[in-house]
């Protein structure tokens, strides 16, 4: 009587074990499917962030190049600023007064010739459009350059903020989805954050008298610094002038490039871990 009862109990226990194993297998399969779905969603988010990251990086680099080109336009004298023109006019004011007295007599003599030369404008008129076209295509006014600097500053700050936020969201997706490459994306985020802090025009926040400045500058600030070179400033002032507009700019450019390289390594690490490549 006891033997059949033991057999029945053993069979019941074995059946319960098999049922438990089946339940655990089903749970594992469900967990794997859920993890696969989460990983797929994270990969889709990574693809979106990669596209925006590349686009914003290009925008930031183009804005930095335009700012540097604007600086060299003014520094080389290709674009004459209003303050520089006033300084040169004040320096040449005495010579102009002497020249005007000398030309006064010549103007009286040429008055009769101008009356007789009324028939010659037709010959001189074809030459005037050429000079206007030359000025139109090869000469840039400072007010246009100032407008360009203001527009570039707005786009640059906005694109740099979005670029830094894109790095932050990519870091969060990597952490939540356990995609890997945390080392690279963390470094990329902090490099972009430092670049953003250096880009902000702190001189506008704390005033122009402060020693804390950003890479972004205004047209008035560029003219103010440029007058130091025009007035033959000291070697230290000229050195600070080029460090302000060239050296500082180069540091931020390198930070952004290193940040972008780190983000590319992060993307490659994710693809290798998921055996996509």
């Amino acid at each position: 009587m006891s033997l059949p009862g033991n057999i029945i109990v053993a069979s019941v226990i074995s059946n319960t074990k098999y049922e438990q194993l089946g339940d655990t297998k089903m749970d594992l399969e469900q967990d794997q499917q859920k993890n696969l779905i989460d990983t797929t969603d994270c990969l889709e988010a990574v693809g979106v962030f990669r596209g925006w990251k590349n686009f914003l990086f290009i925008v930031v680099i183009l804005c930095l190049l335009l700012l540097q080109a604007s600086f060299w336009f003014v520094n080389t004298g290709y674009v004459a600023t209003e303050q520089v023109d006033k300084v040169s006019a004040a320096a040449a004011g005495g010579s102009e007064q002497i020249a005007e007295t000398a030309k006064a007599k010549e103007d009286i003599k040429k008055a009769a010739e101008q009356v007789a030369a009324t028939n010659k404008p037709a010959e001189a008129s074809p030459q005037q459009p050429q000079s206007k076209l030359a000025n139109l295509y090869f000469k840039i006014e400072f007010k246009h350059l100032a407008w360009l600097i203001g527009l570039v500053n707005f786009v640059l700050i906005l694109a740099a903020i979005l670029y830094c936020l894109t790095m932050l969201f990519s870091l969060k997706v990597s952490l939540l989805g356990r995609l890997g490459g945390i080392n690279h994306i963390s470094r990329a985020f902090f490099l972009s954050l430092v670049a953003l802090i250096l880009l902000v025009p702190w001189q506008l926040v704390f005033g122009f008298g402060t020693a804390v400045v950003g890479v972004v500058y205004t047209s008035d600030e560029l003219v103010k610094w440029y007058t130091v070179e025009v007035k033959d400033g000291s070697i230290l002032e000229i050195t600070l002038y080029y460090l302000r507009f060239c050296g500082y700019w180069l540091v931020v450019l390198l930070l952004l490039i290193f940040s972008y390289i780190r983000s590319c390594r992060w993307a490659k690490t994710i693809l290798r871990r998921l055996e996509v490549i």
Side-chain angles (χ1 to χ4, degrees), residues 71-267:
F71 163 74
W72 285 107
F73 279 151
V74 175
N75 187 61
T76 56
Y78 187 81
V79 177
T81 60
E82 294 178 358
Q83 292 186 6
V84 176
D85 291 338
K86 290 179 181 179
V87 172
S88 60
S95 60
E96 289 181 355
Q97 291 178 357
I98 298 172
E100 287 177 358
T101 55
K103 291 179 180 179
K105 297 180 180 179
E106 296 179 358
D107 292 337
I108 297 173
K109 295 180 180 179
K110 292 180 180 180
E113 296 179 356
Q114 291 178 356
V115 175
T118 54
N119 296 325
K120 296 181 180 179
E123 298 178 357
S125 58
Q127 296 179 355
Q128 292 179 357
Q130 295 179 358
S131 62
K132 290 182 179 180
L133 290 175
N135 292 331
L136 180 62
Y137 288 106
F138 300 102
K139 197 171 183 179
I140 302 174
E141 295 183 359
F142 181 74
K143 61 180 181 180
H144 298 154
L145 185 65
W147 179 85
L148 177 64
I149 291 174
L151 178 62
V152 168
N153 289 340
F154 173 76
V155 176
L156 177 59
I157 295 296
L158 181 61
I161 293 173
L162 293 177
Y163 180 77
C164 187
L165 289 176
T166 303
M167 292 295 182
L168 178 60
F169 293 151
S170 301
L171 175 59
K172 289 184 176 181
V173 169
S174 297
L175 290 173
L176 294 175
R178 297 179 180 179
L179 301 178
I182 304 300
N183 180 24
H184 297 300
I185 192 61
S186 299
R187 292 176 184 271
F189 167 66
F190 281 106
L191 288 173
S192 64
L193 183 61
V194 173
L196 175 61
I197 293 173
L198 296 180
L199 276 174
V200 175
W202 300 107
Q203 65 274 15
L204 299 179
V205 179
F206 300 106
F208 287 101
T210 183
V212 181
V213 295
V215 173
V216 174
Y217 59 85
T218 61
S219 58
D220 295 334
E221 185 182 1
L222 178 59
V223 172
K224 182 179 178 181
W225 281 79
Y226 180 63
T227 51
V228 175
E229 185 180 3
V230 171
K231 295 179 181 179
D232 296 329
S234 63
I235 297 177
L236 179 61
E237 291 175 342
I238 296 176
T239 303
L240 292 176
Y241 169 73
Y242 284 104
L243 287 177
R244 163 67 181 89
F245 292 98
C246 296
Y248 206 7
W249 174 87
L250 182 61
V251 170
V252 173
L253 180 65
L254 292 176
L255 287 174
L256 290 171
I257 292 174
F258 291 152
S259 174
Y260 182 76
I261 292 174
R262 284 289 182 178
S263 65
C264 293
R265 291 180 180 176
W266 161 72

Side-chain angles (χ1 to χ4, degrees), residues 12-26:
V12 171
I13 293 173
S14 61
N15 290 330
T16 55
K17 288 183 178 179
Y18 285 134
E19 290 177 358
Q20 291 177 356
L21 289 174
D23 293 337
T24 54
K25 287 181 179 179
M26 291 178 64

